[in-house]
Amino acid sequence: NTPEPETREARLSDCTAIARLLCQLGYDVTSALIHEKLLSLADKSSDRVCVAILNGEIVGSISLHILPLFHAAGNLGRITSMVVDERHRGCGIGAALMADAQRWFERGRCVKLEVTSGDQRPDAHRFYTHHGFARDGQRLSRKMRT
């Protein structure tokens, strides 16, 4: 009998765990950066970061953002990161995070959701397809000089 993961809003004390998870995806992030990001998003009703907890351990995270659509009524919901601990993939943690995201996006009057996922992540693409996402156009990006 596998325990169900619970989800909750991320806290500043979660920054080390979230950074560890994002590093599993190959992102070069530190606890300090995640701490800074969580602080900057803390009082914004259009941004949310959630974690999934299993047996008292943070095993997943998702970052969500709501943007107004200019060309249509309603809002766009965007997932900018999602990760499940590699030791716990395929156990319903991603589904729990997506269910939490869905409820939050519905409350935020989102009429469309989007997520970007690197070409090197076919398992993530299957996951998102299973949750109703489909390829829609093409994303073009460019780096800015810093």
Side-chain angles (χ1 to χ4, degrees):
N1 207 10
T2 310
E4 288 289 313
E6 62 180 86
T7 59
R8 65 161 167 78
E9 198 153 340
R11 303 173 185 147
L12 289 176
S13 58
D14 300 332
C15 61
T16 300
I18 294 170
R20 177 186 55 79
L21 289 168
L22 289 170
C23 285
Q24 289 182 7
L25 292 183
Y27 295 111
D28 184 22
V29 297
T30 62
S31 299
L33 176 68
I34 299 303
H35 190 271
E36 178 185 312
K37 295 289 185 178
L38 289 175
L39 272 177
S40 73
L41 300 176
D43 295 324
K44 295 185 179 168
S45 63
S46 60
D47 302 287
R48 177 176 167 91
V49 179
C50 285
V51 294
I53 300 166
L54 190 63
N55 298 321
E57 179 189 2
I58 293 174
V59 293
S61 75
I62 190 168
S63 55
L64 312 170
H65 311 276
I66 295 175
L67 303 138
L69 287 169
F70 185 71
H71 62 284
N75 295 314
L76 172 71
R78 178 177 281 171
I79 299 169
T80 55
S81 72
M82 182 175 150
V83 58
V84 171
D85 189 303
E86 54 200 4
R87 297 170 297 143
H88 297 284
R89 291 183 186 153
C91 301
I93 292 159
L97 288 167
M98 288 299 286
D100 186 291
Q102 178 75 29
R103 288 188 298 272
W104 188 73
F105 285 140
E106 286 171 359
R107 288 192 306 270
R109 296 186 15 246
C110 292
V111 296
K112 184 176 183 179
L113 305 182
E114 73 177 20
V115 62
T116 56
S117 181
D119 291 333
Q120 75 279 16
R121 302 192 198 287
D123 291 342
H125 303 167
R126 280 190 290 280
F127 173 85
Y128 291 121
T129 299
H130 176 77
H131 286 275
F133 289 80
R135 186 172 292 276
D136 178 26
Q138 184 173 347
R139 178 177 68 138
L140 305 172
S141 67
R142 103 177 182 194
K143 302 259 187 212
M144 297 286 287
R145 288 192 199 107
T146 54

